[in-house]
Amino acid sequence: MISSVHAFGLAAAMLLAAGGYASSAEKLILGNEGSYPPFSMVDASGKLTGFEPELAREMCKRMETECELVVLDFKGLIPALLQNKLDAVATQTKPLPERKAKVLFGRPILFNPDSYVVKEDTNYTFTKEGLKGVKIGLQRGSAQAKYIAEHFGDAVETVFYDNPDQIRLDLASGRLDMSLGPKISWTLEFLNKPAGKGWKFAGGDLWTGGGEQGSSWIARKDSQELLDRMNKTVDSIVADCTFTKLRKQFMEVVLLPEEKACM
C-alpha cells in the first residue's frame, strides 16, 4: 500500500512531468489584428509574428500560462472580447472614451502619434473647407475614423478598409488622396518603401485616442486581476530590456520612454 506522502510525491511528479502544477493548465485566448506590420503580420509559413505577438508570447511564458493567439480584423476584436471569445486583446488600442466605458486598458505598449499621409505636391489646410471633397482612406472601426468623422463630417469622402495594407495599395494606385494613421507604421510600411515615393506626412502629430497619448492592450471589465498580471509582467519585460530586444527584431524606432535605459 502506498503511503499518503508517497502518493503525493507521485502526483506531484506527474504534474511536473506534464509541465507544472494546476495553475499552469490555465489557457488564455488573446486576440491580435495580424495585419499591421511590423507590429503584427502572418509570415509565409502561416505563423503570426511581429512585435506584439512576440511580446505576448514572452509575457505568457513569464506568466507560466499557455496562450493561443487568434487573428481577427481590428473592428472585431472588442466585440469578440465582450462576447467572452477572447480573454484579452494583444493589439495596440487607443483609449477612446467609448472604449474605456466597455473595457479595461493596460499600461501603454507604445506611444505613436498619428499624422496625415498626403502627396508631396499638395498643401492642404486641415479644415472642412480645406479638405472638401478629398477622398480619405481609413481603417474601419479605428480611432482615426472617429476623429475624421468628428472633425470633418461629410466634407470629406471617407472610404473604409479592413486593414492598412488595403489602404496603402489604393494610395499607391491613386484611388485615394490621403490617409490618417500612426506615424511609425506608415513610415516603415509605406513612406520608406518604393510604393511611398512621392508621399509625405502633413498636419503635424495628432493624438486621436480621445486626446490621451499611448496605446495599450485591453481586457474585459471583469478581468482586472488578469490585466494586473499582464501589466506586471510587461513591466518586467521592459525593465530587463527584453522589450527592447524584441522590438529591435522588427524596427529601430523606440516605442517607450523607459527604453532609454536599454540603449
Side-chain angles (χ1 to χ4, degrees):
M1 182 174 180
I2 301 174
S3 70
S4 59
V5 174
H6 190 196
F8 178 81
L10 286 175
M14 291 173 67
L15 283 168
L16 287 172
Y21 286 91
S23 62
S24 68
E26 176 190 21
K27 180 177 180 179
L28 298 176
I29 309 296
L30 306 179
N32 183 270
E33 183 175 2
S35 58
Y36 199 50
F39 294 101
S40 64
M41 57 271 192
V42 177
D43 66 18
S45 70
K47 178 187 175 183
L48 175 64
T49 186
F51 172 68
E52 288 187 281
E54 299 309 326
L55 178 61
R57 291 182 178 112
E58 178 65 21
M59 176 188 74
C60 292
K61 177 182 175 183
R62 296 192 185 199
M63 289 169 59
E64 298 183 345
T65 300
E66 180 185 355
C67 290
E68 179 183 351
L69 289 166
V70 177
V71 176
L72 294 171
D73 286 338
F74 183 82
K75 68 181 185 298
L77 289 169
I78 291 180
L81 179 66
L82 296 177
Q83 293 165 15
N84 294 322
K85 295 178 181 178
L86 303 172
D87 294 300
V89 170
T91 282
Q92 52 187 282
T93 306
K94 294 188 176 183
L96 296 175
E98 60 269 30
R99 291 174 181 168
K100 292 177 74 174
K102 296 178 181 178
V103 301
L104 298 173
F105 279 74
R107 60 150 294 148
I109 295 297
L110 75 159
F111 292 89
N112 187 7
D114 291 302
S115 191
Y116 294 96
V117 180
V118 304
K119 293 179 179 177
E120 285 185 346
D121 59 0
T122 58
N123 187 25
Y124 292 109
T125 300
F126 293 93
T127 62
K128 287 186 177 181
E129 295 74 21
L131 295 185
K132 188 173 180 61
V134 165
K135 186 179 288 188
I136 181 168
L138 299 167
Q139 188 169 4
R140 189 176 283 105
S142 66
Q144 296 85 5
K146 182 176 186 292
Y147 181 90
I148 291 298
E150 290 177 345
H151 286 78
F152 301 102
D154 59 5
V156 298
E157 180 182 348
T158 304
V159 183
F160 292 106
Y161 297 82
D162 287 330
N163 65 68
D165 286 340
Q166 297 168 341
I167 301 175
R168 289 188 274 268
L169 285 172
D170 276 4
L171 280 177
S173 66
R175 289 190 285 269
L176 294 171
D177 298 311
M178 66 169 62
S179 185
L180 173 65
K183 293 184 74 173
I184 293 173
S185 299
W186 278 93
T187 297
L188 297 175
E189 296 301 316
F190 189 66
L191 296 184
N192 284 357
K193 294 188 174 182
K197 184 177 181 181
W199 294 82
K200 67 179 181 180
F201 285 126
D205 289 354
L206 302 173
W207 295 99
T208 60
E212 290 189 42
Q213 299 183 10
S215 297
S216 306
W217 291 351
I218 59 176
R220 284 189 304 278
K221 290 281 189 176
D222 61 1
S223 300
Q224 184 66 61
E225 182 180 354
L226 170 60
L227 191 65
D228 288 344
R229 288 171 58 205
M230 292 170 61
N231 285 338
K232 182 178 180 180
T233 306
V234 173
D235 283 345
S236 74
I237 294 171
V238 173
D240 70 10
C241 297
T242 302
F243 181 98
T244 300
K245 292 175 183 176
L246 290 172
R247 188 262 301 161
K248 285 184 175 180
Q249 294 177 22
F250 300 97
M251 68 196 92
E252 288 300 320
V253 62
V254 173
L255 302 180
L256 290 173
E258 300 99 304
E259 286 195 77
K260 291 180 181 178
C262 302
M263 305 304 289

